[in-house]
Structures are given as structure tokens and as C-alpha cells.
Amino acid sequence: RIADANQERGDAEAAAGHIRTAMNCWLRACDYYREVEFWLLPDDPRRLEAFTDMEACSHKFLAELNPAGEVLEIPYEDGKTLFAYFVRAPFDTGKQPCLISMGGLDSIKDEMWFMQAHGALQRGISVLMIDGPGQGGTLRRHGIPTRVDYEVPIGYCIDYLETRDDIDTSKIAVCGSSLGGYYAARAGSYEPRIAAAISHGAIWSIGDLWGNADESHGLADHIKWVFGASSMKEAVEKVQPFTLEGALENMKCPYLIVHGGFDVLGVSQAQTVYDYAKAHGVDVTLRFVGEDETGAEHCQHDNPTIGQELMADWLTDIFGIDERELRKKALDPLI
């Protein structure tokens, strides 16, 4: 009811010309529809219905950005697609850097605005928010589970970006939150077209993280869905190859880890990722976010703004963006 009310109010305010209020309402509606769909079982028909309502609100919000965001289906394998949104940063700067932005086990493209994308756009970096294998619409509509070699779907995303004339393809970064921290690190290790990689929450080994998780795990139904498993025993077997050992030493681009200092999943995996990368000559930076500054929880859920600032500022430095000069070319200073 709250989701519907926000969407209806957004539509009414847009009709009245109150565009900023409408955009706020649609974002709120997205959040509430997400709460509706997340707690339903994968095979509950109401889940895709609520998910589609959420996407509809995202689409309305994106259409009012300046420049307008784009709703995409990126060609993938076997005639299937990856669902995605592209948003160009609101600056008259010609070809722009781009951040490929994704979630993890249970986060989706529509949430990336709050976790990664907004900060990048404010600093002149375009954003491609994706539902990769095992995520969002790609899982819900195509039934495509996750995969260990995430450099493959990220490669398809880069193939798409290379078709655009407004992207500097020498400055493509990838960021993944939570389990996406593994995906981003894996992609950065094997996809040579990636210029920078960020783990927004680092994962060394899913097998080590989950141990012998069983059907009593709070996310058991979701885990089985994402990994295409019929039981938690099978899921635990499938996650064993999901480790950065033997992969991370191949990373040639700069690599950032932003991790909550009191992450509910712990901090030891982030430290292991950093130590291993450092020992193998990777240009790696580790930033634990402490409780005194807030943002100490998993993926800075207790203060998403600071997480975006840390990641976007690092990318700004990597890509050599002068923010003072950038602001002189702003198309939408209110973004």
C-alpha cells in the first residue's frame, strides 16, 4: 500500500509539474516495492509483479534525469540479456569514464543508485548499473544463476560500452557490493579492459564465509535460487570455487577495498584479500570504515553516503578528474 501510494503521488506530482517531488516519490516507491518482493519465495508470482512495479518506478525516475537515463537489455549468451540502466554523468565533458555498478547475492541494479551510482555521477563518471547472472531481472526473468567467472558477463557489458561514442573506453571501472565484491575482484583479475576495480565489501572465499550452512540459514531460499541449487548442501558445494586464491594475482589495474570496520559478516576476509593482493604486487588500497565516522556496517548500510564518497573520490583520483573544472560544465547541478 505504501509503495502504491508513493508511485501514485509521484505520477500526480509529475502531472502537476512538480518533477523533483515526483522523482523523490518514485525512488521511495522503488524502496517499498523492493521490500515487498524480497520476502516472497522465488516461485511466488507476486514476486515478479512487485519487482516489475519497482522497475517501472525506476524507469520514471531515470527518464527525468538530465541527461535521461536509459533502460537496457545487454546481449548475453544463448539469446538472453542482462537487464541494466545506463546514466550519463550530467556534465558537458565529451567522452566520460564509466563505472559498471552491481550488487551481490541479494542486491540489484535498482539499489545501486543508493550504494554506488549517485556518487560517481556527481563526479563526472557515467554509470552502467547491471543485473548480472544470479541477480535482479536477469535471474527473475531468464532464470540465469550466478557463475564463478564473472569476468564473462562484465566482458559483455564492456562490449556494449564500446559501442557508445560517449564513453572513454580506456577508463572503465567495475564495482561490486557484498558478494559483488568477489565479482568485481574476479572481473578485474581477468578482464584486461578494466581500468580500476572496487570491492564494496570484500569476499575472499564464499565457502569459508558460509562454512556448512544448512536449510536454517536466513537466506537459504535465496541462496539456492541464486546458485541454481536444489538444497543448501548442493549450494555449499557449488560455492567452493568462488575464491580469489589463484585469481587475484592476475589483477593489473588499481584495486580498492572499502569495508565496514564492524561488518556483520566480519572483517577478516577483507584483510585476507588485501594481504594476498599486496603480497602479489597488486596496486591495492584497503579502507576500513570505523564506527566513529559511521558507515561501519556491511557496505555502509548505516551511512551509504560515506561509502559512495570513499569509492567515488578514489575513482576521481584514479581517472584524474578535476572537480572544480568539472563543475563549470554541469548540466544538472542538483543531481
Side-chain angles (χ1 to χ4, degrees), residues 218-233:
L219 289 173
D221 289 322
H222 195 81
I223 289 170
K224 289 184 287 185
W225 192 24
V226 168
F227 283 86
S230 59
S231 67
M232 279 300 294
K233 180 179 179 181

Side-chain angles (χ1 to χ4, degrees), residues 88-250:
R88 179 175 167 82
F91 301 93
D92 184 15
T93 51
K95 291 190 174 185
Q96 295 180 345
C98 186
L99 174 66
I100 300 173
S101 172
M102 62 184 160
L105 174 71
D106 53 1
S107 43
I108 57 178
K109 66 185 181 309
D110 302 77
E111 294 172 313
M112 292 304 102
W113 179 268
F114 306 98
M115 297 176 71
Q116 303 175 19
H118 193 196
L121 291 167
Q122 290 173 320
R123 292 158 179 81
I125 301 168
S126 292
V127 176
L128 181 67
M129 296 171 275
I130 70 166
D131 282 337
Q135 298 177 334
T138 302
L139 173 65
R140 287 156 179 75
R141 295 195 176 90
H142 296 321
I144 299 174
T146 190
R147 58 190 295 169
V148 66
D149 53 344
Y150 232 76
E151 66 273 13
V152 175
I154 295 302
Y156 282 104
C157 293
I158 297 175
D159 291 344
Y160 163 74
L161 291 173
E162 288 182 334
T163 69
R164 301 186 64 101
D165 60 7
D166 56 353
I167 294 299
D168 182 347
T169 56
S170 70
K171 295 180 179 179
I172 295 175
V174 63
C175 180
S177 297
S178 193
L179 177 55
Y182 164 80
Y183 296 152
R186 169 80 193 204
S189 298
Y190 289 111
E191 173 49 76
R193 293 174 291 178
I194 292 175
I198 302 173
S199 287
H200 185 208
I203 302 290
W204 168 249
S205 164
I206 304 178
D208 291 350
L209 185 65
W210 288 356
N212 295 315
D214 58 21
E215 301 296 335
S216 67
H217 191 288
L219 289 173
D221 289 322
H222 195 81
I223 289 170
K224 289 184 287 185
W225 192 24
V226 168
F227 283 86
S230 59
S231 67
M232 279 300 294
K233 180 179 179 181
E234 182 184 356
V236 168
E237 292 172 354
K238 285 192 170 188
V239 304
Q240 297 311 310
F242 285 72
T243 176
L244 293 178
E245 185 172 11
L248 195 54
E249 55 264 44
N250 297 301

Side-chain angles (χ1 to χ4, degrees), residues 9-335:
R9 183 186 173 210
D11 294 348
E13 295 292 354
H18 304 153
I19 303 303
R20 285 289 170 183
T21 296
M23 294 171 74
N24 293 344
C25 289
W26 291 325
L27 279 187
R28 284 194 294 269
C30 284
D31 196 24
Y32 286 118
Y33 282 126
R34 173 64 165 145
E35 287 296 322
V36 172
E37 77 97 25
F38 183 80
W39 301 103
L40 297 171
L41 293 173
D43 60 354
D44 190 319
R46 296 173 298 173
R47 183 154 195 173
L48 182 57
E49 180 183 356
F51 186 85
T52 302
D53 283 337
M54 177 201 65
E55 287 182 314
C57 291
S58 289
H59 297 175
K60 294 174 187 178
F61 171 82
L62 292 169
E64 295 295 346
L65 292 174
N66 180 26
E70 302 172 35
V71 178
L72 305 172
E73 291 189 44
I74 297 172
Y76 184 53
E77 298 175 345
D78 301 323
K80 302 294 178 62
T81 56
L82 305 177
F83 293 87
Y85 302 142
F86 176 84
V87 183
R88 179 175 167 82
F91 301 93
D92 184 15
T93 51
K95 291 190 174 185
Q96 295 180 345
C98 186
L99 174 66
I100 300 173
S101 172
M102 62 184 160
L105 174 71
D106 53 1
S107 43
I108 57 178
K109 66 185 181 309
D110 302 77
E111 294 172 313
M112 292 304 102
W113 179 268
F114 306 98
M115 297 176 71
Q116 303 175 19
H118 193 196
L121 291 167
Q122 290 173 320
R123 292 158 179 81
I125 301 168
S126 292
V127 176
L128 181 67
M129 296 171 275
I130 70 166
D131 282 337
Q135 298 177 334
T138 302
L139 173 65
R140 287 156 179 75
R141 295 195 176 90
H142 296 321
I144 299 174
T146 190
R147 58 190 295 169
V148 66
D149 53 344
Y150 232 76
E151 66 273 13
V152 175
I154 295 302
Y156 282 104
C157 293
I158 297 175
D159 291 344
Y160 163 74
L161 291 173
E162 288 182 334
T163 69
R164 301 186 64 101
D165 60 7
D166 56 353
I167 294 299
D168 182 347
T169 56
S170 70
K171 295 180 179 179
I172 295 175
V174 63
C175 180
S177 297
S178 193
L179 177 55
Y182 164 80
Y183 296 152
R186 169 80 193 204
S189 298
Y190 289 111
E191 173 49 76
R193 293 174 291 178
I194 292 175
I198 302 173
S199 287
H200 185 208
I203 302 290
W204 168 249
S205 164
I206 304 178
D208 291 350
L209 185 65
W210 288 356
N212 295 315
D214 58 21
E215 301 296 335
S216 67
H217 191 288
L219 289 173
D221 289 322
H222 195 81
I223 289 170
K224 289 184 287 185
W225 192 24
V226 168
F227 283 86
S230 59
S231 67
M232 279 300 294
K233 180 179 179 181
E234 182 184 356
V236 168
E237 292 172 354
K238 285 192 170 188
V239 304
Q240 297 311 310
F242 285 72
T243 176
L244 293 178
E245 185 172 11
L248 195 54
E249 55 264 44
N250 297 301
M251 187 178 289
K252 300 297 189 291
C253 65
Y255 176 40
L256 172 67
I257 301 166
V258 175
H259 201 90
F262 286 80
D263 192 311
V264 67
L265 300 181
V267 300
S268 62
Q269 291 232 353
Q271 190 66 54
T272 299
V273 173
Y274 172 78
D275 291 343
Y276 186 91
K278 195 74 173 176
H280 288 83
V282 177
D283 178 6
V284 60
T285 300
L286 172 61
R287 177 60 155 86
F288 281 124
V289 187
E291 60 181 339
D292 289 342
E293 56 189 327
T294 71
E297 246 305 344
H298 185 60
C299 294
Q300 288 72 65
H301 286 328
D302 51 329
N303 184 357
T305 304
I306 194 171
Q308 295 216 35
E309 290 167 354
L310 294 170
M311 294 185 290
D313 285 348
W314 181 82
L315 274 180
T316 297
D317 293 341
I318 292 295
F319 290 149
I321 296 171
D322 184 332
E323 289 193 54
R324 288 191 173 86
E325 288 299 314
L326 181 69
R327 291 173 65 84
K328 297 175 184 178
K329 302 177 180 179
L331 300 174
D332 186 354
L334 297 179
I335 189 171

